[in-house]
Amino acid sequence: MLVEGIPAKVCSRCGEITFSSETAENIRLMLNSNQKSQRKIEIDVFAFSA
C-alpha cells in the first residue's frame, strides 16, 4: 500500500525522516479500516538476485 502526504520531519543534520506516533497510529487505523483507497496504481516488481 502507498500512503501519500504523510506529515513528517526531516533532520537537518542527517536527513532522517521521522513522523509522530500519532501519525503512525492514524495510518495504522486507516489501513485496517474498511476505508476505500482514493486510487489504484500499477507498479513494476523486480526480484533481487545476487
Side-chain angles (χ1 to χ4, degrees):
M1 290 183 214
L2 171 66
V3 179
E4 297 178 312
I6 298 172
K9 294 182 181 178
V10 180
C11 177
S12 60
R13 281 199 224 160
C14 68
E16 180 179 11
I17 299 170
T18 60
F19 47 86
S20 71
S21 57
E22 180 182 350
T23 297
E25 179 64 9
N26 287 338
I27 293 168
R28 186 189 71 77
L29 292 172
M30 178 179 54
L31 296 179
N32 290 309
S33 72
N34 290 328
Q35 181 177 341
K36 288 190 174 188
S37 61
Q38 292 182 343
R39 61 190 166 97
K40 295 190 182 287
I41 61 172
E42 185 177 321
I43 61 169
D44 294 326
V45 178
F46 297 89
F48 177 82
S49 60

